[in-house]
Amino acid sequence: FAYDWDTDNDGSQAPDFRGKENWDVQTPDVAARIASDGGNFALFHINFELDKSTDTVNRSPTIGRHVTPDLENIEDGINTYLAAGVTPIIYPTVILPDFAGSQLAPERYTPSNTDAWFNSYGTHIKELAELSGQYNLPYMSIGCGLGPIATATYTQQWDALITEVRESYTGNLWYSNFVNAHYARDSDGDHNSADLKNLGMVEHLSHIGFNLYTDLVAGDDGTYDDFIAGWSNSYLSGRNLITEVQNLAKSLPKPIIMTEFGYSALDGSANSPLRRDLERLLDYQEQADAFKAWLQTWMSNGEDWLEGVFAWDLEPDFNTNNGILNEVPDSETGLFLTANYWNHPAHDILTQAFQGTLTGTGVTKTGTDADETVTGGFFDDDITLGAGNDVGNGKVGNDSLVGG
């Protein structure tokens, strides 16, 4: 979340990226809304900045919203969310000064002094681990989108860092990465999927995170039905994207959390989920339809490997004024409207999903003669077990299970 986590009605502490004297929406309001939506957890997105010239990760004082909040600010946020009944999860990311995102992809950055990188990054991670341990938070992210430096080439460095983390934090650790659903096979040569299969810290993780921002149609226009169809038939590769993501998830040694998904409120977001070309009109219906298609798809097809979902992201101070939508970006804030859904129709869709009232089409699955687990989703499913020693898991919904 990119706003002041303090409760003093003052934006003087980071991330005060607009120089505002007062915030329209305060942290307790946001935490309460997440709780009322049915959310149990919230990611605290803590940005740091990479200095390519020194290979060091530093607190960021310079990149607008990416200013790094101080530890007191973060602690205030933790207390506020816990008081609301929402468990915070610290989620650190590293921002490149020449790229508006948190992916240290090899085409953007190749480390030359890895000792400097790990020493500087480790300092911040250990501070965040101490906070997570102090409040007995069940989960903490160890990193997100770190590119080659997250791979097994640096297992020794990750082992050393996590050994130090464990001095103050004994909870579950995650690592997250962007997943390109269109090209998730080994033969595709996409580094995102390859990195996830070759993580240097994997033995220390409880979960692996997928950041699944998936474009679903070729052009700017599309309907809910088009977006549903896009999951089954990629306009880029012709593949079934549900199967591609399922196969990637099943190939990994840890269960999956969808740590990020979302769609911009700008027109054409179903073709470019994090669309930022601000000359476009706002299209809240397209955003809501894309959210609904995403949620219905993975509520039906997440199977046993999917253990949680986080929607991206809440920027309440951008577009509300006494509850009225007021989204007129200036030159600094406009870049970060991106996937904001606060009080948009997409927010209502997400609430329905978290509260268990979102409707959708169930799946039909039939087992084989092998010993297997056949798993349904969150809607009304038809599951028929095969001739093997099978296990049927209907999960949520008014399901039909037929023995083999």
Side-chain angles (χ1 to χ4, degrees), residues 73 81 105 187 269-271 285 329 404:
N73 198 325
Y81 274 75
S187 58
S269 65
N271 171 256
Q285 186 61 53

Coordinates of all heavy atoms in Angstrom, one line a residue, residues 73 81 105 187 269-271 285 329 404:
N73 N 7.1 3.9 11.0 CA 5.9 4.0 10.2 C 5.3 2.6 9.9 O 4.1 2.3 10.0 CB 6.3 4.7 8.9 CG 5.1 5.2 8.1 OD1 4.1 4.6 8.1 ND2 5.4 6.3 7.4
Y81 N -3.4 -2.6 11.4 CA -4.0 -3.7 10.7 C -4.4 -4.9 11.7 O -5.4 -5.5 11.6 CB -3.1 -4.2 9.6 CG -3.3 -3.5 8.3 CD1 -2.8 -2.2 8.2 CD2 -4.1 -4.0 7.3 CE1 -3.1 -1.4 7.1 CE2 -4.4 -3.2 6.1 CZ -3.8 -2.0 6.0 OH -4.1 -1.2 4.9
A105 N 14.9 -7.9 -14.0 CA 15.1 -8.9 -15.1 C 16.5 -8.7 -15.7 O 17.1 -7.7 -15.6 CB 14.0 -8.6 -16.2
S187 N 10.6 -24.9 -22.7 CA 11.1 -24.7 -24.1 C 10.9 -23.3 -24.6 O 11.4 -22.9 -25.6 CB 10.3 -25.7 -25.0 OG 8.9 -25.5 -24.9
S269 N -7.2 -2.3 -20.5 CA -6.3 -3.0 -19.6 C -6.3 -4.5 -19.7 O -5.4 -5.2 -19.3 CB -6.8 -2.6 -18.2 OG -8.1 -3.1 -17.9
A270 N -7.4 -5.1 -20.3 CA -7.4 -6.5 -20.5 C -6.3 -6.9 -21.6 O -6.0 -8.1 -21.7 CB -8.8 -7.0 -21.0
N271 N -5.8 -6.0 -22.4 CA -4.7 -6.3 -23.3 C -3.4 -5.9 -22.6 O -2.3 -6.4 -23.0 CB -4.9 -5.5 -24.6 CG -3.7 -5.5 -25.4 OD1 -2.9 -4.6 -25.5 ND2 -3.5 -6.7 -26.1
Q285 N -15.9 -0.6 -16.1 CA -16.6 -1.9 -16.5 C -15.6 -2.9 -17.0 O -15.6 -4.1 -16.6 CB -17.7 -1.7 -17.5 CG -18.5 -2.9 -17.8 CD -19.2 -3.4 -16.5 OE1 -19.9 -2.6 -15.8 NE2 -19.1 -4.7 -16.1
P329 N -5.5 12.5 -12.6 CA -4.1 12.4 -12.2 C -3.3 13.6 -12.6 O -3.5 14.2 -13.6 CB -3.6 11.2 -13.0 CG -4.5 11.1 -14.2 CD -5.8 11.6 -13.7
G404 N -15.4 -44.2 -8.1 CA -14.9 -44.9 -9.3 C -15.1 -46.4 -9.1 O -15.6 -46.9 -8.1

